[in-house]
Amino acid sequence: MSSGNWVIYVSLLFVALNKLLQYTASYHDSWGSRLALPNVKAAGNKYREVLAEHQKLAASNRAVSAQDDYARWTKNNRKLTQMENELKRLKEQLAAATAQNKQMLGKLRLVSLTLPFLALKLWKGKHVVFYLPKSNVFPKVISGVWSQGWLYLALAPLKLVTGKSVVTASTAEVGVSLGIWLWALQRVIDTLEFLLKQLLLTPAMARPSVGEKHEITSDKVALD
Amino acid sequence: MDLLTEPNLHSLITSSTHKWIFVGGKGGVGKTTSSCSIAIQMALAQPQKQYLLISTDPAHNLSDAFGEKFGKDTRKVTGMNNLSCMEIDPSAALKDMNDMAVSRANQNGGSEEDGLGGLLQGGALADLTGSIPGIDEALSFMEVMKHIRNQEKGEGETYDTVIFDTAPTGHTLRFLQLPNTLSKLLEKFGEITGKLGPMLNSLAGAGNIDVAGKLNQLKENVETIKQQFTDPDLTTFVCVCISEFLSLYETERLIQELISYDMDVNSIIVNQLLFADDDKEYNCKRCQARWKMQKKYLDQIDELYEDFHVVKMPLCAGEIRGLTNLKKFSQFLNKEYDPIADGSIIYDLEEKN
């Protein structure tokens, strides 16, 4: 049994990591930008540089009189238009690099978390986590099915009719496999989450105030 | 090497390669006078060639400029045997074509095979195609081109150069961006039809409108035109303006737009200049003040458009109407106006023709 404990610990680790990633979803973008590839950082820096230049030129152009210094004003406008086109291009580049980065991080998650967890579930899916107690925890019908299979259910009415006993000693050792246990664990966690959200995290909604009831007593329409 | 660009249009007037010349600028700057002047000078410089001057402005004034009536059919200018004029309203022509297509579709229920007219498909696609920027301009322009071809067939002669007096809205050439727009649209279309396949054809019904096919055809036609219009030896745009802030601002926007279409633009005509410094005989305070303002902008123009032909034309005492006055005025496009030597022309043109 102790040799199989590592399976349980690793599974719990995977479940915990998945939950952590789920709860910190809003921070993923900022973490992703810190873990960005060099091309993303370079694109971001270039964009910020050109943007700063553009803002500086736009500010200085606002101080130039269009009518008294038309040539200079127009040349500045031409440069500003060029920079705007450049900014558009850099923005597209940055978006593409960021998307690529995000895709790469997604693949990393797949390879380091999702696939190993799946492999574990497939490989050790039938590993027994614990055995059910032999005492009368479950209804007799269920104990009967476990020890004798579905045939028990099929034959039970017959036994009742003929007066034979339907109670059987629960001799079979019934274990809970890793797959079932993980599923049940996930359901329990989800249910607890739901309860906490509903009971504690959802703000209470005030009862709507009902004003005076407006009753229509006649067909006459009040005109202004 | 010619370091200073000449302040005249001599190279354009004597050009043997140019086929399409566009004259444009915002309203009231002397566009029609300039386009007539360019046409006249070209016709006089090269009498062996045939020239056609077209106005696409719905508010036609070629007839007013020459003092004789022109219409949808080409007619030679009285007094010139190698210059013809035509006034066409492309949007009205397009509307007529659309209405005809609608009536034909209602009668036959079949598809219209006439090239571009087919695109309208009984008006069904007018809403769709009208929302694509440049399509109206493209269809209008093609209608004009078709009209020119018909005229050439009818008259039995071809025009070596066509001069367009464009509308002030300035969107005449917006359709040059159309191939890019249509490429993207057709790509999307391709994706959709690829996925939905024959279901679309059954949905289209008996008319069987092949939208993608028609748009492809339009795209090819526009690309053919664009090839000619982006060749600087074949096509050029002459901007007309006056020496005031708003006009210059509009001219700058027009030039940048034309550059974005890869169209050659290297000439600017600055009209209505007072040259008050050299007007010794008649000299008023108001003219001096306005001339000072105009000079300020002229210096800016010279600085801003160093490699352009900036032609400076005087404001005359009267309107320039009639062939005689236009001939006298237009000579300064060929050889630049000298306010001292040529100053008398201002008052010579005062007499109505």
Side-chain angles (χ1 to χ4, degrees):
Chain A
M1 200 62 160
S2 59
S3 66
N5 281 350
W6 70 268
V7 175
I8 298 165
Y9 296 140
V10 170
S11 305
L12 283 173
L13 177 68
F14 279 133
V15 169
L17 282 173
N18 275 327
K19 275 293 157 193
L20 179 71
L21 285 172
Q22 185 191 325
Y23 293 145
T24 57
S26 55
Y27 296 100
H28 289 179
D29 283 337
S30 70
W31 291 345
S33 66
R34 285 202 197 115
L35 296 168
L37 294 166
N39 66 333
V40 179
K41 287 190 174 149
N45 289 338
K46 181 78 186 152
Y47 181 82
R48 272 187 294 274
E49 194 186 304
V50 175
L51 187 66
E53 220 178 287
H54 178 275
Q55 283 167 344
K56 192 173 157 196
L57 185 60
S60 78
N61 203 31
R62 276 192 286 274
V64 172
S65 164
Q67 287 174 330
D68 294 333
D69 205 352
Y70 177 75
R72 192 168 136 215
W73 183 77
T74 305
K75 283 180 182 169
N76 283 345
N77 278 337
R78 285 179 187 171
K79 266 191 222 152
L80 285 169
T81 310
Q82 255 178 354
M83 278 197 254
E84 276 154 27
N85 291 337
E86 173 77 2
L87 280 170
K88 199 171 154 187
R89 191 184 63 79
L90 286 172
K91 197 170 179 182
E92 279 166 15
Q93 239 176 37
L94 184 61
T98 312
Q100 200 188 27
N101 194 48
K102 202 169 172 182
Q103 207 183 37
M104 195 205 68
L105 288 172
K107 279 184 185 154
L108 184 69
R109 179 179 170 165
L110 181 76
V111 163
S112 61
L113 190 60
T114 314
L115 287 178
F117 195 19
L118 185 67
L120 182 73
K121 281 192 269 193
L122 288 170
W123 178 36
K124 290 285 183 185
K126 297 238 188 312
H127 169 84
V128 178
V129 176
F130 65 90
Y131 288 96
L132 293 171
K134 287 183 190 171
S135 59
N136 293 339
V137 176
F138 297 103
K140 291 186 178 64
V141 174
I142 293 176
S143 304
V145 172
W146 279 336
S147 55
Q148 292 174 12
W150 290 107
L151 203 58
Y152 171 81
L153 263 184
L155 292 173
L158 195 64
K159 280 188 182 164
L160 277 172
V161 164
T162 53
K164 285 184 186 164
S165 167
V166 294
V167 175
T168 57
S170 178
T171 52
E173 244 191 354
V174 182
V176 177
S177 68
L178 181 72
I180 300 294
W181 180 73
L182 279 173
W183 168 79
L185 177 69
Q186 200 61 57
R187 287 300 300 267
V188 165
I189 293 171
D190 290 345
T191 309
L192 281 172
E193 255 180 38
F194 172 76
L195 286 172
L196 283 170
K197 269 189 203 156
Q198 287 295 305
L199 296 173
L200 299 173
L201 298 175
T202 312
M205 197 173 291
R207 184 179 282 277
S209 59
V210 179
E212 283 175 18
K213 273 194 179 175
H214 177 74
E215 281 184 24
I216 300 166
T217 51
S218 79
D219 285 334
K220 275 193 182 166
V221 175
L223 296 167
D224 285 337
Chain B
M1 193 175 84
D2 182 22
L3 288 168
L4 283 170
T5 24
E6 293 161 0
N8 56 48
L9 297 182
H10 178 76
S11 54
L12 176 64
I13 287 165
T14 52
S15 162
S16 54
T17 59
H18 280 91
K19 281 192 70 175
W20 315 103
I21 296 169
F22 291 87
V23 182
K26 278 294 188 176
V29 297
K31 223 176 23 285
T32 302
T33 309
S34 300
S35 62
C36 294
S37 301
I38 292 171
I40 288 168
Q41 283 299 308
M42 289 185 89
L44 290 173
Q46 301 180 70
Q48 74 283 9
K49 289 190 172 177
Q50 287 292 327
Y51 294 91
L52 175 62
L53 175 60
I54 299 181
S55 167
T56 54
D57 188 349
H60 298 308
N61 33 25
L62 282 185
S63 303
D64 300 324
F66 281 104
E68 51 182 307
K69 190 78 187 110
F70 297 110
K72 281 198 300 189
D73 297 321
T74 58
R75 204 167 67 69
K76 284 216 163 71
V77 174
T78 310
M80 300 209 56
N81 59 4
N82 64 338
L83 175 62
S84 305
C85 282
M86 183 166 90
E87 288 179 336
I88 181 168
D89 182 357
S91 53
L94 192 63
K95 188 177 176 301
D96 287 343
M97 202 167 77
N98 196 28
D99 291 342
M100 275 172 69
V102 170
S103 63
R104 239 178 273 143
N106 286 338
Q107 281 171 9
N108 306 337
S111 60
E112 169 68 56
E113 283 311 315
D114 173 30
L116 260 307
L119 182 66
L120 294 169
Q121 286 290 342
L125 291 184
D127 290 334
L128 168 71
T129 54
S131 61
I132 302 169
I135 276 219
D136 278 345
E137 288 86 355
L139 295 175
S140 305
F141 200 80
M142 272 155 213
E143 188 55 23
V144 171
M145 300 302 277
K146 202 167 79 175
H147 201 76
I148 295 172
R149 297 282 163 261
N150 290 342
Q151 294 298 308
E152 281 176 339
K153 277 182 213 161
E155 297 287 315
E157 58 191 25
T158 53
Y159 298 106
D160 299 288
T161 306
V162 179
I163 301 125
F164 288 90
D165 179 19
T166 65
T169 53
H171 280 318
T172 311
L173 297 172
R174 197 161 64 145
F175 70 89
L176 290 177
Q177 283 181 326
L178 206 51
N180 285 340
T181 315
L182 286 179
S183 294
K184 287 179 199 159
L185 190 68
L186 286 165
E187 223 180 274
K188 290 288 170 196
F189 247 1
E191 279 174 21
I192 295 167
T193 50
K195 284 177 191 162
L196 297 179
M199 192 170 85
L200 269 183
N201 278 338
S202 64
L203 281 174
N208 209 14
I209 302 164
D210 179 20
V211 177
K214 293 296 178 193
L215 286 177
N216 250 320
Q217 195 186 358
L218 175 65
K219 187 179 144 210
E220 277 164 21
N221 287 337
V222 174
E223 269 169 355
T224 311
I225 292 179
K226 196 180 172 182
Q227 263 170 13
Q228 292 225 340
F229 283 7
T230 51
D231 183 347
D233 293 325
L234 290 175
T235 313
T236 191
F237 199 106
V238 178
C239 299
V240 186
C241 66
I242 55 177
S243 190
E244 288 183 13
F245 175 75
L246 284 176
S247 179
L248 292 180
Y249 184 58
E250 285 296 338
T251 306
E252 168 67 14
R253 279 171 56 167
L254 175 62
I255 289 171
Q256 294 306 322
E257 197 180 334
L258 291 168
I259 290 172
S260 76
Y261 301 153
D262 290 328
M263 187 137 188
D264 175 58
V265 51
N266 62 18
S267 309
I268 299 176
I269 298 175
V270 188
N271 268 338
Q272 302 178 20
L273 292 170
L274 289 163
F275 297 105
D277 286 343
D278 307 297
D279 195 354
K280 301 289 177 224
E281 201 181 340
Y282 307 97
N283 212 337
C284 75
K285 202 173 167 187
R286 190 192 329 189
C287 290
Q288 288 290 338
R290 282 203 75 83
W291 172 235
K292 192 177 164 190
M293 181 267 294
Q294 287 182 341
K295 261 199 304 189
K296 178 181 81 174
Y297 288 118
L298 277 179
D299 294 335
Q300 306 290 308
I301 292 170
D302 289 335
E303 188 188 326
L304 210 46
Y305 304 107
E306 284 169 333
D307 45 354
F308 278 59
H309 297 282
V310 179
V311 187
K312 295 166 188 168
M313 301 296 277
L315 177 69
C316 297
E319 291 175 300
I320 302 156
R321 294 173 68 181
L323 184 62
T324 315
N325 284 344
L326 281 165
K327 273 183 177 171
K328 284 183 193 169
F329 182 77
S330 62
Q331 63 180 303
F332 303 121
L333 291 180
N334 199 18
K335 186 179 171 309
E336 58 269 26
Y337 174 76
D338 180 348
I340 297 163
D342 305 316
S344 57
I345 201 97
I346 297 169
Y347 302 99
D348 283 350
L349 295 174
E350 194 174 358
E351 304 295 328
K352 282 211 173 79
N353 189 26

